[in-house]
């Protein structure tokens, strides 16, 4: 039951968030498959970067990383350093090249005369991207953003998530101090995970139960199941695991379908993602 706590699923959460944030949707009349549309977009004189990134992530999910990497080169030739770093980062992360992301943002900061001249929200993204490869620098960047924008809820949630990677005690203290500014219930997963690591099981159950109610992310449910199991409620834990497993297998982006807009290529968890999610769920079931 200890295994899920050793593998904080921060990177996958970030990738999903980027896919949702950068998504640009095709007109209903378009029927091009992702690879064909990707190649057509690459050849256009005027690039649509958001759509190119989404298609590149789709190609990586479909087992075509080499083709997807062409998007990085096209972005390099099309945009100045900061925009290039911003748009390339999610592709590089999915390609397993996270170490390159920091170098790109540093180059962009140099072109701007220092990272203090970069928009705080972009610096927060920078911190999140490098959290798995350089957590100490990520915390430093996040603290800079928080100092510059102390009332920004995104800066608060970013710092909370990064703290939970390194210091669960500090993470809980920060959460309690800034709880009134946290509007996204999904961010409660960070407080729940910190509580779980510290053995504060009733608090962990409370935070993770709320976090698991919103969205279709199986990760909070995996930790919620662990909290229930450690509270000697194995039947409930098993039920939560089974529900999360269904989400892993059947997940597809439906956010805009709820508003009457149907996506041409809905996002989903690819094979690698499913394998990654199944491990903590299977461990929780044990």
């Amino acid at each position: 039951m200890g295994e899920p706590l050793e593998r904080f699923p921060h990177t996958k959460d970030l990738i999903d968030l980027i896919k949702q944030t950068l998504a640009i949707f095709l007109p209903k009349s378009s029927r091009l498959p992702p690879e064909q549309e990707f190649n057509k977009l690459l050849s256009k004189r005027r690039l649509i970067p958001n759509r190119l990134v989404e298609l590149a992530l789709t190609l990586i999910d479909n087992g075509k990383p080499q083709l997807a990497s062409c998007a990085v080169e096209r972005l390099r030739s099309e945009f100045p350093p900061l925009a290039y770093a911003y748009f390339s980062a999610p592709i590089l992360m999915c390609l397993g090249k996270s170490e390159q992301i920091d170098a790109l943002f540093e180059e962009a900061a140099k072109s701007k005369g220092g990272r203090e001249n970069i928009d705080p929200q972009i610096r927060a993204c920078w911190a999140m991207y490098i959290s798995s490869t350089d957590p100490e620098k990520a915390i430093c960047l996040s603290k800079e953003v928080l100092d510059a924008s102390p009332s920004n809820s995104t800066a608060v949630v970013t710092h909370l998530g990064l703290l939970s990677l390194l210091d669960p005690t500090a993470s809980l203290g920060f959460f309690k101090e800034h709880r009134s500014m946290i509007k996204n219930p999904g961010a409660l997963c960070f407080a729940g995970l910190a509580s779980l690591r510290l053995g504060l099981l009733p608090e962990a159950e409370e935070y993770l139960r709320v976090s698991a109610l919103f969205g279709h992310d199986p990760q909070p449910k995996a930790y919620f199941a662990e909290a229930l199991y450690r509270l000697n409620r194995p039947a409930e834990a098993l039920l939560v695991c089974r529900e999360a497993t269904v989400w892993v297998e059947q997940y597809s982006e439906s956010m805009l379908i709820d508003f009457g807009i149907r996506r041409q290529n809905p996002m989903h968890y690819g094979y690698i993602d499913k394998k990654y999610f199944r491990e903590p769920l299977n461990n929780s079931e044990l």
Side-chain angles (χ1 to χ4, degrees):
M1 293 298 297
E3 177 66 13
L5 297 184
E6 301 302 320
R7 294 194 59 187
F8 185 79
H10 170 69
T11 299
K12 185 63 190 80
D13 284 342
L14 179 59
I15 291 171
D16 285 344
L17 178 60
I18 292 165
K19 286 181 179 179
Q20 294 176 33
T21 303
L22 297 182
I24 284 186
F25 303 101
L26 287 172
K28 293 182 180 181
S29 59
S30 177
R31 291 296 182 268
L32 291 177
E35 184 174 345
Q36 188 175 345
E37 185 195 351
F38 179 81
N39 288 326
K40 184 177 180 179
L41 189 56
L42 280 179
S43 65
K44 283 188 174 181
R45 184 174 180 179
R46 185 176 181 181
L47 192 64
I48 304 174
N50 293 1
R51 183 59 184 165
L52 184 68
V53 171
E54 185 183 3
L55 288 167
L57 299 180
T58 299
L59 290 176
I60 293 171
D61 275 348
N62 292 341
K64 298 182 178 180
Q66 188 171 358
L67 179 58
S69 66
C70 295
V72 177
E73 294 306 315
R74 179 64 198 279
L75 290 166
R76 179 192 294 274
S77 66
E78 190 79 13
F79 294 101
L82 184 57
Y84 167 55
Y86 180 78
F87 287 119
S88 297
I91 303 174
L92 291 171
M93 176 171 284
C94 287
L95 289 172
K97 299 179 179 180
S98 298
E99 69 283 350
Q100 296 183 21
I101 296 174
D102 188 44
L104 291 182
F105 275 107
E106 284 290 1
E107 181 181 344
K110 186 176 180 181
S111 72
K112 290 286 187 179
R115 62 193 189 197
E116 67 276 5
N117 296 320
I118 295 178
D119 182 89
Q121 298 228 29
I122 294 182
R123 275 188 283 161
C125 290
W126 179 2
M128 295 288 278
Y129 282 125
I130 67 172
S131 61
S132 60
T133 55
D134 193 345
E136 287 77 16
K137 182 175 180 178
I139 287 288
C140 181
L141 278 168
S142 178
K143 186 64 166 60
E144 290 176 6
V145 173
L146 193 63
D147 290 343
S149 307
S151 60
N152 186 296
S153 61
T154 300
V156 170
V157 172
T158 298
H159 198 64
L160 172 64
L162 291 172
L163 280 177
S164 65
L165 286 169
L166 298 177
D167 189 342
T169 301
S171 179
L172 279 184
F174 182 82
F175 170 73
K176 292 174 181 177
E177 182 180 352
H178 295 83
R179 186 166 185 174
S180 62
M181 297 176 60
I182 298 176
K183 308 301 182 183
N184 180 5
L188 293 175
C189 182
F190 297 132
L193 181 57
S195 300
L196 199 55
R197 284 178 165 171
L198 294 171
L200 305 174
L201 299 182
E203 291 87 345
E205 179 190 2
E206 175 189 353
Y207 297 143
L208 292 169
R209 183 184 296 277
V210 175
S211 179
L213 287 174
F214 292 85
H216 285 73
D217 187 346
Q219 293 166 340
K221 280 191 170 290
Y223 295 119
F224 181 36
E226 175 153 354
L228 293 172
Y229 184 88
R230 290 170 61 179
L231 286 165
N232 297 315
R233 290 149 63 184
E236 291 179 68
L238 182 60
L239 184 63
V240 170
C241 281
R242 287 174 176 170
E243 183 179 18
T245 301
V246 171
W247 283 1
V248 170
E249 300 299 330
Q250 299 181 358
Y251 168 81
S252 65
E253 178 65 43
S254 61
M255 180 173 58
L256 290 194
I257 292 177
D258 293 339
F259 292 90
I261 303 173
R262 185 167 297 278
R263 299 195 53 187
Q264 173 66 19
N265 302 307
M267 291 179 293
H268 62 280
Y269 290 130
Y271 169 76
I272 295 175
D273 298 331
K274 289 180 180 180
K275 183 178 179 181
Y276 176 79
F277 281 134
R278 287 188 191 110
E279 183 176 345
L281 290 170
N282 291 339
N283 289 334
S284 294
E285 289 191 29
L286 294 175

